Amino acid sequence: MIRAQKLTALLAGTAFVMIGSQAYALDGQDLLDKINAAAYGAGNGLIAAKSIEVDDDDVTLKGVTFTPPGPDAKTAELGDITLQDVSEEDGGAYHIGLIEFPDIDVTEDKTNAKVSELYLSGIWVPGDVTTGDINSLLLYEEAHSGPISVSVDGKEVFSMAEAKSIMEVSDDEDTISFVGEVTGIKADLSTVEDAKSKEALDALNLHSLDGKVTMSGSWEISSGTIDIEEYAFEFANIGTLNLAFSLSGYTMDLIKQMQETTREMQAQPNNEQAEQAAGLAMLGLAQQMSFNSAEISFDDDGITKRGLDFAGKQQGTSGKEMGDMVKAMVPMLLAQFKLADLQNTVSAAVNTYIDDPQNLTISLAPEKPVPFPMIVGAGMGAPETLPKLLGLTVTANEE
């Protein structure tokens, strides 16, 4: 009797555990649907799977295909993808610890492309994309790609060592900061066959490219302020081009409106009138934003002198004389824009740079944020007022 009671209790406990595990099992289809809801709403295409398998906290999508947005988009086959360490969060959201993608090795005609070590980690999949807050966005902590190689006729013409992007949400969930880096970028330009292009590359001593790209910035959600502090392209034997800018008004409400417009466009992919109407709607939404500041700078690594030498040779003169011609032409070009005293400042900066190419910086720093409609209006009605409106300055060879 005692043994029978113990056996009954054991069977009851086992049944309870099995029922509980079934009740809390991950719903793989629901997860995929919510990934698509977030990605599709942002205009990023659709993911489909032939079947879905759930094993504890792993969800495997079998026979995955990806279809980009657009009526003529071609569907790509991605194979099997496993979403690791998946957990269901409050509000029907999901957190995915890691997604590792299959390596890519594709050959078309004489071109072969290889990509490896692709993964996403710390992915937040929103339970509801319509709430209008940060939790309605599809976010990740890290996106990574390992080596990329592109070969033509067996000869490598482009390669990249690594690409990585990291995103972090502040404790108060009001700011998303991000950094990114693409390293080991190499391109073989010796394979260029066009005679004129080859002549220019030889003159500029650009038989190959070797460099990297770095980026950092943040988005303050409450004010909708996007600050791109650095977007730098650094290549040996050329120089470093860095872009920085700040915009405000890119709020969650604006994103929601843009997503709704995007969904309307995707619902009528072949309707030209609908596409035009949606395009105008997007322009109208963009007018809710304001321009805060911008800066473009270039630090020379020899390309300017080689460029002047090449341009001078084409004109039958020297690089120095070509530089003098550029310095003489700049004031005449600027006179068309009625820049007043700023014309002399810009001309002086260009002259300084041409004489001794080190760095050149163009800055836009208005006293206060300028709404985009005001910039468009000034550009159409009184373009000569734009430099003052946007606080334009040009400097050269500053430390």
Side-chain angles (χ1 to χ4, degrees):
M1 179 66 71
I2 296 177
R3 288 182 179 179
Q5 291 175 344
K6 288 184 177 180
L7 179 59
T8 301
L10 177 60
L11 291 173
T14 302
F16 178 80
V17 170
M18 291 178 64
I19 292 171
S21 64
Q22 291 172 358
Y24 291 100
L26 292 168
D27 186 337
Q29 186 61 54
D30 181 62
L31 172 58
L32 179 58
D33 290 343
K34 286 176 178 176
I35 291 174
N36 275 322
Y40 191 67
N44 293 326
L46 283 172
I47 300 170
K50 292 181 179 179
S51 63
I52 301 174
E53 296 180 0
V54 177
D55 181 11
D56 195 13
D57 58 1
D58 290 348
V59 177
T60 300
L61 308 179
K62 297 281 190 176
V64 177
T65 59
F66 173 73
T67 305
D72 301 321
K74 294 183 178 180
T75 298
E77 296 183 1
L78 304 181
D80 298 345
I81 297 177
T82 299
L83 317 183
Q84 303 175 35
D85 192 21
V86 180
S87 60
E88 191 167 0
E89 307 294 322
D90 293 340
Y94 290 91
H95 182 272
I96 305 171
L98 180 67
I99 305 176
E100 294 180 301
F101 298 91
D103 291 347
I104 297 172
D105 190 343
V106 179
T107 299
E108 184 173 340
D109 295 329
K110 298 180 180 180
T111 303
N112 173 258
K114 296 180 180 179
V115 186
S116 60
E117 300 175 23
L118 292 164
Y119 66 78
L120 284 171
S121 66
I123 305 103
W124 171 267
V125 181
D128 184 352
V129 297
T130 65
T131 58
D133 58 23
I134 191 173
N135 291 320
S136 66
L137 299 177
L138 183 66
L139 302 173
Y140 64 85
E141 293 177 2
E142 181 181 352
H144 179 273
S145 171
I148 293 177
S149 174
V150 179
S151 301
V152 178
D153 281 334
K155 182 177 182 180
E156 188 174 71
V157 296
F158 174 83
S159 64
M160 182 202 76
E162 184 183 37
K164 181 166 63 175
S165 175
I166 296 175
M167 187 183 298
E168 184 176 352
V169 179
S170 63
D171 292 338
D172 61 2
E173 296 188 344
D174 189 48
T175 301
I176 299 175
S177 57
F178 44 87
V179 295
E181 186 175 44
V182 182
T183 57
I185 301 173
K186 297 182 184 297
D188 183 0
L189 304 181
S190 65
T191 58
V192 174
E193 297 179 355
D194 180 74
K196 289 186 177 180
S197 299
K198 190 173 182 61
E199 180 187 5
L201 291 172
D202 288 341
L204 296 173
N205 192 23
L206 290 180
H207 302 113
S208 63
L209 294 179
D210 185 355
K212 65 179 181 178
V213 178
T214 54
M215 179 183 182
S216 65
S218 63
W219 173 35
E220 186 181 78
I221 297 169
S222 57
S223 65
T225 300
I226 297 176
D227 282 317
I228 303 299
E229 300 163 3
E230 177 188 47
Y231 199 169
F233 302 80
E234 181 180 348
F235 288 89
N237 207 33
I238 298 178
T240 301
L241 176 67
N242 186 40
L243 312 176
F245 60 88
S246 176
L247 309 173
S248 57
Y250 191 69
T251 61
M252 289 299 306
D253 183 57
L254 179 60
I255 292 174
K256 185 178 179 180
Q257 293 178 61
M258 287 184 169
Q259 288 177 342
E260 290 173 352
T261 303
T262 299
R263 282 191 285 269
E264 291 175 4
M265 292 175 63
Q266 293 167 338
Q268 305 179 69
N270 298 312
N271 189 323
E272 186 175 343
Q273 291 184 339
E275 289 180 1
Q276 291 177 349
L280 291 173
M282 282 292 192
L283 288 175
L285 292 173
Q287 292 185 6
Q288 300 179 33
M289 300 178 64
S290 296
F291 173 82
N292 299 332
S293 64
E295 182 177 281
I296 303 174
S297 63
F298 180 71
D299 288 278
D300 182 72
D301 192 17
I303 193 67
T304 303
K305 183 180 183 305
R306 296 195 302 274
L308 290 172
D309 288 343
F310 175 67
K313 185 179 179 181
Q314 298 294 102
Q315 299 294 324
T317 185
S318 67
K320 184 181 183 309
E321 291 172 331
M322 190 66 201
D324 291 338
M325 290 173 59
V326 172
K327 292 192 292 184
M329 291 172 59
V330 168
M332 292 186 288
L333 293 172
L334 294 176
Q336 304 176 39
F337 299 99
K338 302 176 183 179
L339 300 180
D341 294 339
L342 183 59
Q343 176 176 322
N344 295 331
T345 303
V346 175
S347 297
V350 172
N351 292 349
T352 299
Y353 180 78
I354 293 294
D355 290 338
D356 180 20
Q358 295 181 35
N359 58 73
L360 185 68
T361 302
I362 301 172
S363 300
L364 298 172
E367 295 181 359
K368 58 182 180 180
V370 183
F372 276 109
M374 184 180 295
I375 297 174
V376 174
M380 295 176 63
E384 68 276 6
T385 65
L386 281 174
K388 184 176 181 181
L389 176 67
L390 299 177
L392 171 67
T393 59
V394 180
T395 57
N397 298 353
E398 292 195 339
E399 296 292 334

